[in-house]
Amino acid sequence: MWAALAEVGRVAATGGYRRFAWTPPELQCRAWFRQEAAARGLDTHADRNGNLWAWDGAGRPGQAVVTGSHLDSVPDGGAYDGPLGIVSAFAALDILRADDWRPARPLAIVAFSDEEGARFGVACAGSRLLTGALDPGRAAGLRDADGTTLAEAMRAAGEDPEALGRDDDLLARVGCYVELHVEQGRALAGDPDGTGAAAVGVATAIWPHGRWRLDFRGAADHAGTTRLEDRRDPMLPFAETVLLARERAAAAGARATIGRVRVAPNGTNAIASEVTAWLDARAPDEATVRAVVDEVVAGARWWATRQGVEVDLAEESWSGETVFDPLIAERLSVLVGRDGRPAPLLPTGAGHDAGVLAAAGVPTAMLFVRNPTGVSHSPAEYAEPDDCRAGVLALSRVLAELAGTPS
Ligand SMILES: [Zn+2]
């Protein structure tokens, strides 16, 4: 399965992946999903929001045990973030079937669409639409960098954007959701502030996090002839804001990042007229995130005023803290532990579809597979094959336990 996906959407220059929602590489990944599902005799369909579902024993009584992840990537992302959860889901099903598995409940493997939000700006768009956390009208009108709307992109791929929205019938079939994911930190690699080295860990919580857009508007002019004191250069408050985000996050024990910026007109010999910057902020609790963002925005306004620049703020997305069910997490930790030791329990600063489903009341758990460098959202993202196998085995145990008992 890895070999089939290895070259899809891979950028030769960086070795990273560009699998953005509804673009040809992502559609190729979706076709791969359908093939793997068909090879196992699973019934596959795309739901109203473009998420792909593959069902094993859809006719069994009770609600389904659902596992999966996503196939899309960030710009020049790694191979594991997303696909590891889906490859592992198919592989875990293979283990269960080879093992005289007698499930009492249906099982589904899901690929949520546009988890990273790399193209249209809203993370977990597919799961948020499914649960009603994202307004379908707003979603349909989201535009990518070329001005294409999500509705247009879906229509071009053969999906019907008119159907977008909360899907109560499908949600009613979901009994629980387990997502396996590559770890996006070094807790399992044995970092001092972690819980000890292990191949597989169990998530306890997802930090609250959000995305904010800052539009700095100044005036374009000639880089050679315009006196410094006559300029309204939005680059200056933008640059101060980048540094301030770092400083405030460090002081608060939070994470704040400006990793995306758009400059107009983007000319070497022209003062910029407009700078748009995206701020991503996360912390263990909501009050800390809000306080950091408030301080960064207040600073941005102060620096903007000094340069005669206007600044507007828009909150593009917000996800409150997700606390996974502690009883399920502890049970899984014992279940997937090795050598008599329970698997480590750890919180994460990364958002996931699992968090969206948990917020909608779906009993949810996550397994993390060790990432020796902790690097993610980068071509350097990695997991050892042995750790991936341990993840598959752990997932198969969890699915056997959850699907083996009637709901
Ligand atoms: Zn992911």
Coordinates of all heavy atoms in Angstrom, one line a residue, residues 69-70 72 80-83 115-116 179 181-182 184 351-353 377, ligand 1:
S69 N -8.6 8.2 8.7 CA -7.8 9.4 8.9 C -8.1 10.2 7.6 O -9.2 10.3 7.1 CB -6.3 9.1 9.1 OG -5.6 10.3 9.5
H70 N -7.0 10.8 7.0 CA -7.2 11.6 5.8 C -6.1 11.4 4.8 O -5.1 10.9 5.2 CB -7.3 13.1 6.2 CG -6.0 13.6 6.8 ND1 -5.0 14.2 6.1 CD2 -5.6 13.5 8.1 CE1 -4.0 14.5 7.0 NE2 -4.3 14.1 8.2
D72 N -5.3 13.9 2.3 CA -4.7 15.2 1.8 C -3.5 15.6 2.6 O -3.3 15.0 3.7 CB -5.8 16.3 1.8 CG -6.2 16.7 3.2 OD1 -6.6 15.7 4.0 OD2 -6.2 17.9 3.6
Y80 N 3.4 10.4 6.0 CA 2.7 9.7 7.1 C 1.4 10.4 7.6 O 0.4 9.7 8.0 CB 3.6 9.4 8.2 CG 4.8 8.5 7.8 CD1 5.9 9.1 7.2 CD2 4.8 7.2 8.0 CE1 7.0 8.3 6.7 CE2 5.8 6.4 7.5 CZ 6.9 7.0 6.9 OH 8.0 6.2 6.5
D81 N 1.5 11.7 7.7 CA 0.4 12.5 8.3 C -0.9 12.2 7.5 O -1.1 12.8 6.4 CB 0.7 13.9 8.3 CG -0.3 14.8 8.9 OD1 -1.4 14.3 9.2 OD2 -0.1 16.0 9.1
G82 N -1.8 11.4 8.0 CA -3.0 11.1 7.3 C -3.0 9.7 6.7 O -3.6 8.8 7.3
P83 N -2.2 9.5 5.6 CA -2.2 8.1 5.0 C -1.9 7.0 6.0 O -2.4 5.9 5.8 CB -1.2 8.3 3.9 CG -1.3 9.7 3.5 CD -1.5 10.4 4.8
E115 N -8.7 17.6 5.4 CA -8.4 17.7 6.8 C -7.4 18.8 7.1 O -7.6 19.6 8.0 CB -7.7 16.4 7.3 CG -7.7 16.3 8.8 CD -6.5 16.8 9.4 OE1 -5.5 17.2 8.7 OE2 -6.4 17.0 10.7
E116 N -6.4 19.0 6.2 CA -5.4 20.0 6.5 C -5.9 21.5 6.1 O -5.3 22.4 6.6 CB -4.1 19.7 5.7 CG -3.5 18.4 5.9 CD -2.8 18.3 7.3 OE1 -2.9 19.3 8.1 OE2 -2.2 17.3 7.6
E179 N -8.8 6.9 15.5 CA -7.9 7.4 14.5 C -6.5 7.1 14.9 O -6.0 7.5 16.0 CB -8.1 8.9 14.2 CG -7.1 9.4 13.1 CD -7.5 10.8 12.6 OE1 -8.5 11.4 13.1 OE2 -6.7 11.4 11.8
H181 N -2.6 7.9 14.0 CA -1.9 9.0 13.4 C -0.4 8.9 13.8 O 0.0 8.5 14.9 CB -2.5 10.3 13.9 CG -2.3 11.4 12.9 ND1 -1.1 12.2 12.9 CD2 -3.1 12.0 12.0 CE1 -1.3 13.1 11.9 NE2 -2.5 13.0 11.4
V182 N 0.5 9.4 12.9 CA 1.9 9.5 13.2 C 2.0 10.6 14.3 O 1.2 11.6 14.2 CB 2.7 9.9 12.0 CG1 2.4 11.3 11.4 CG2 4.2 9.8 12.3
Q184 N 3.2 13.9 16.1 CA 3.7 15.1 15.6 C 4.5 15.8 16.6 O 4.4 17.0 16.8 CB 2.6 15.9 15.0 CG 1.9 15.1 13.8 CD 0.7 15.8 13.3 OE1 -0.3 15.8 14.0 NE2 0.7 16.2 12.0
G351 N -4.4 19.4 15.6 CA -5.8 19.2 15.4 C -6.1 18.0 14.5 O -5.2 17.6 13.7
H352 N -7.2 17.3 14.7 CA -7.6 16.1 13.9 C -9.1 16.0 13.7 O -9.8 16.5 14.6 CB -7.1 14.8 14.6 CG -5.6 14.8 14.9 ND1 -4.7 14.5 13.8 CD2 -4.8 15.0 15.9 CE1 -3.5 14.5 14.3 NE2 -3.5 14.9 15.6
D353 N -9.5 15.3 12.7 CA -10.9 15.0 12.6 C -11.5 14.3 13.8 O -12.7 14.5 14.2 CB -11.1 14.1 11.4 CG -10.7 14.7 10.0 OD1 -11.2 15.9 9.8 OD2 -9.9 14.2 9.3
H377 N 4.5 17.7 9.0 CA 4.2 18.8 8.0 C 5.5 19.2 7.3 O 5.8 20.3 7.0 CB 3.5 20.0 8.7 CG 2.1 19.7 9.1 ND1 1.3 20.7 9.5 CD2 1.4 18.6 9.0 CE1 0.1 20.1 9.8 NE2 0.1 18.9 9.5
Ligands
ZN1 ZN -3.2 14.5 10.0

